[in-house]
Amino acid sequence: MGSQLAALNEWVTEVAELTGPDAIHWCDGSDVENAALVAQMQADGTLIELNQQTHPGSWLHRSDPDDVARVEHLTFVCTTEQDDAGPNNHWMSPADGHAKVDALFDGCMAGRTMYVVPYCMGPIDSPLSRCGVEITDSPYVVANMRIMTRMGAPALARIEQEKSFVKGLHSVGELDPERRFIMHFPEELTIKSYGSGYGGNALLGKKCHALRIASHQAKSEGWLAEHMLILGLENPQGETHYIAAAFPSACGKTNLAMLIPPEGYRVDGWKVWTVGDDICWMRPGSDGRLYAINPEAGFFGVAPGTSASSNPNALKSIQSNTIFTNVGVTADNQPWWEGIDNGMSPVTDWRGEPYDASKRPAAHPNSRFTVSAKQCPCYSPEAENPAGVPISAIVFGGRRPSLVPLVFEARDWTHGVLVGAAMGSETTAAASGAVGVMRRDPMAMKPFCGYNFADYFAHWLSLDDGRNKLPKIFHVNWFRKGEDGKFLWPGFGENLRVLEWMIGRVKDEAHAIETPIGHLPTLDDLNLDGVSLSDEARAKLFDFDRPGWKAELDSIGDYLEGYGPRMPQALKDEQQRIVKALVAIEPS
Ligand code: OXD
Ligand code: MN
């Protein structure tokens, strides 16, 4: 027996002693196992059968109404030194963290089955992939992990060969928000999550492992674990460039990753291939370029707003073999959500009550679909390549109703890291709490970085070692609003125009105007043929508002200072360089 199997068996025994389950089931990931779990969940009401003619193999899960999103205020990073977790994380000492949560786990699986779920994040045969084991008492979690990760026997076989694996312990507990914690122990490669069945809190391979624990591991091993989609942009010459893009939760990563080019572009032969829609692990290859894999095997996407016009590829992907969570249903039992725009209407809302628009939306704003990436019509064949895909451009973006133009390019890597560090966005329904509040969300990692942001930015800067051939960095803002409060940019497929300009820049073919905030596209080089834009849109999407940016840079300076002496001087110098450039062009 390999040493990791011995360690795994020992841990399973320990957990069983603590939690006291009635039975232990080791998951092999097979169809037979899944069918039995689904039948059991159908019998006890955890899963509700949807219309099997229109949506074969698809199910609805209604969660506890108090358990519908990530809970950032209950999410902790437990490092020996508080400063290692940083001001960006809630912190507890490892001893306190274990004690707090172990008290909850004590005896919590009595009367339940404990599932042992071995999984691999990334293609089974990729050196970039990493394994973990989630122990859970939720069959719904098992069914979702089977879609979202490479789960079961092949992962167990890989764990046998590995030096380490991430240990994740999960129980839905009583689903009591007062008895809920999502604890991370990066130094021990351990996660303990209690009291929630919601994806981001309970599918431990996703945010807990692939971002919080992996970001910590990545720092010590010289790679990056990021909250980014990965797409391949194929031009009419058949050349594909890969782009990784970080946007906060529920800001359109899935839509961009599955983009359908506008008509004219399609006719010319442009295509977008999806490698991933949420998480990207990348590492410098022997040629110095960054190579990326999507550690996930499925999509846990936001349902509302997904339609045949906004994201036809997602809609096709979820026509079968999909678990829907917290959506509404139609009279003939089809899943329904706000913005599906399919001519149908809901009769039952996400809480299982008769739909009443004055009471609540049919689908929860953070309702989700879980589906295998293999069902996506534009899933990239390269997504399974163990070597990963070479990244040509990194994109940062958030919801910025004012100030921030449609797109700009960072002048170099250090500037790009500052642009990522300064990212701001309005909050969304993906996390509990107020929606639409502006906050800094560096690199879309605010809820997910498993260590001090100051050290994280230093790690990003360290990749620029003079040998690596790093991607260009851009910032986009699809969410700029006009005086009437409406979006100025049409978004969705039209975003391809911006991606085309970026690749033009990468290939040194497209032009830009240098400004203190970065390089803005020349309107000759960004193809706007066929897009109707108001004069206000043309002015604001490509503008550079000097006083507004001076205030923004001052606020960025204050933000960096908030991290104290650990903040890399190079980033503070970069902020100062831009402030000086802004002041230099101040009209006297
Ligand atoms: C997600 C999130 O579920 O970011 O991807 O919340
Ligand atoms: Mn996400």
Side-chain angles (χ1 to χ4, degrees):
M1 187 185 288
S3 61
Q4 288 312 307
L5 272 196
L8 174 55
N9 276 318
E10 212 173 285
W11 175 56
V12 169
T13 307
E14 234 171 68
V15 169
E17 273 162 18
L18 174 66
T19 60
D22 280 12
I24 301 178
H25 177 99
W26 286 70
C27 294
D28 61 14
S30 65
D31 291 345
V32 173
E33 176 182 83
N34 189 56
L37 279 174
V38 167
Q40 173 197 324
M41 285 191 277
Q42 202 187 342
D44 70 15
T46 304
L47 291 184
I48 299 161
E49 194 176 44
L50 288 165
N51 185 325
Q52 296 296 302
Q53 265 75 54
T54 58
H55 291 76
S58 297
W59 309 90
L60 168 66
H61 172 71
R62 291 197 184 109
S63 71
D64 185 285
D66 279 330
D67 186 33
V68 292
R70 286 183 289 99
V71 281
E72 294 180 10
H73 60 297
L74 301 173
T75 299
F76 286 77
V77 169
C78 305
T79 44
T80 311
E81 301 296 330
Q82 178 163 7
D83 244 11
D84 289 344
N88 45 304
N89 282 302
H90 298 296
W91 176 85
M92 234 183 254
S93 73
D96 287 352
H98 283 300
K100 188 124 206 142
V101 85
D102 285 355
L104 301 175
F105 276 108
D106 194 357
C108 74
M109 294 190 194
R112 300 180 187 173
T113 296
M114 177 174 115
Y115 300 93
V116 181
V117 185
Y119 63 85
C120 180
M121 299 311 292
I124 276 282
D125 52 351
S126 170
L128 300 171
S129 300
R130 291 285 185 281
C131 290
V133 177
E134 174 164 357
I135 296 182
T136 178
D137 54 10
S138 162
Y140 165 80
V141 164
V142 177
N144 276 272
M145 284 291 284
R146 181 168 181 268
I147 298 172
M148 295 304 297
T149 71
R150 280 85 173 169
M151 181 270 251
L156 189 61
R158 179 164 168 162
I159 287 168
E160 206 172 344
Q161 317 295 322
E162 299 267 287
K163 288 203 218 45
S164 65
F165 65 95
V166 171
K167 294 183 178 129
L169 172 55
H170 169 253
S171 170
V172 288
E174 307 79 17
L175 291 176
D176 176 354
E178 302 298 320
R179 287 166 57 82
R180 182 172 292 163
F181 282 108
I182 323 297
M183 297 277 192
H184 302 76
F185 305 88
E187 292 152 357
E188 303 164 36
L189 300 184
T190 295
I191 306 154
K192 292 184 177 179
S193 164
Y194 189 88
S196 168
Y198 171 74
N201 304 326
L203 311 180
L204 301 186
K206 194 173 178 62
K207 303 300 184 181
C208 301
H209 177 164
L211 288 176
R212 297 193 192 97
I213 300 286
S215 61
H216 187 272
Q217 257 184 320
K219 176 178 174 280
S220 52
E221 295 173 8
W223 50 284
L224 295 170
E226 300 301 325
H227 192 204
M228 291 178 177
L229 66 90
I230 310 165
L231 64 81
L233 178 59
E234 183 179 333
N235 67 17
Q237 292 74 49
E239 215 177 56
T240 303
H241 281 92
Y242 293 91
I243 298 176
F247 300 95
S249 310
C251 286
K253 283 200 296 299
T254 308
N255 290 345
L256 187 64
M258 297 180 188
L259 176 150
I260 302 237
E263 175 72 23
Y265 280 85
R266 255 191 340 262
V267 170
D268 288 348
W270 289 85
K271 283 194 198 101
V272 166
W273 298 101
T274 310
V275 178
D277 80 328
D278 194 42
I279 302 182
C280 164
W281 285 358
M282 43 189 173
R283 178 191 277 274
S286 51
D287 60 359
R289 297 189 70 187
L290 289 185
Y291 284 80
I293 59 162
N294 169 15
E296 300 192 283
F299 308 122
F300 180 63
V302 177
T306 306
S307 72
S309 62
S310 69
N311 194 337
N313 281 320
L315 210 61
K316 283 186 195 133
S317 310
I318 58 182
Q319 216 48 53
S320 61
N321 306 317
T322 302
I323 300 174
F324 293 92
T325 300
N326 293 336
V327 299
V329 281
T330 62
D332 68 344
N333 210 20
Q334 295 191 48
W336 194 94
W337 49 82
E338 279 66 21
I340 191 170
D341 287 342
N342 61 357
M344 288 186 248
S345 19
V347 295
T348 308
D349 71 21
W350 63 275
R351 292 179 69 155
E353 291 175 19
Y355 173 61
D356 175 352
S358 67
K359 227 164 150 192
R360 66 178 72 96
H364 186 277
N366 193 36
S367 53
R368 300 281 179 148
F369 52 77
T370 320
V371 70
S372 165
K374 294 210 168 109
Q375 295 207 173
C376 178
C378 55
Y379 188 48
S380 166
E382 286 300 298
E384 302 289 328
N385 186 339
V389 295
I391 298 295
S392 297
I394 288 177
V395 182
F396 296 120
R399 287 179 189 263
R400 296 297 300 254
S402 60
L403 185 70
V404 182
L406 180 65
V407 57
F408 61 90
E409 177 194 328
R411 72 205 288 259
D412 56 21
W413 186 258
T414 304
H415 181 213
V417 174
L418 179 69
V419 168
M423 242 173 82
S425 196
E426 290 182 336
T427 51
T428 68
S432 64
V435 167
V437 178
M438 200 52 207
R439 71 166 179 181
R440 296 255 168 240
D441 189 351
M443 294 163 175
M445 285 288 278
K446 166 74 186 75
F448 308 120
C449 184
Y451 63 103
N452 191 320
F453 258 152
D455 300 344
Y456 170 78
F457 302 145
H459 179 48
W460 264 79
L461 291 171
S462 75
L463 288 182
D464 190 13
D465 63 357
R467 280 173 311 205
N468 288 335
K469 296 192 194 68
L470 297 168
K472 274 190 183 292
I473 298 181
F474 298 85
H475 188 282
V476 298
N477 179 22
W478 315 136
F479 299 95
R480 182 94 182 241
K481 287 184 178 165
E483 296 298 334
D484 59 2
K486 297 211 173 103
F487 293 120
L488 292 173
W489 175 248
F492 300 107
E494 306 300 340
N495 293 338
L496 183 95
R497 299 166 187 277
V498 175
L499 303 184
E500 180 192 18
W501 178 75
M502 289 174 186
I503 299 307
R505 293 293 297 163
V506 167
K507 292 167 74 178
D508 226 354
E509 289 170 5
H511 299 96
I513 307 159
E514 291 191 22
T515 78
I517 65 159
H519 303 336
L520 294 169
T522 55
L523 284 184
D524 285 345
D525 279 7
L526 181 72
N527 180 8
L528 293 176
D529 293 349
V531 198
S532 88
L533 291 179
S534 65
D535 289 346
E536 186 195 12
R538 276 185 190 262
K540 290 190 169 156
L541 290 171
F542 307 103
D543 81 345
F544 151 58
D545 161 16
R546 199 204 53 79
W549 273 100
K550 171 70 173 52
E552 173 75 357
L553 262 293
D554 288 344
S555 141
I556 293 167
D558 292 345
Y559 179 72
L560 299 182
E561 282 307 329
Y563 286 84
R566 272 170 102 127
M567 183 55 67
Q569 189 59 40
L571 225 46
K572 295 198 265 187
D573 291 348
E574 186 63 14
Q575 180 265 355
Q576 278 302 306
R577 182 191 65 74
I578 300 171
V579 169
K580 286 199 189 100
L582 285 165
V583 170
I585 58 165
E586 190 165 6
S588 50

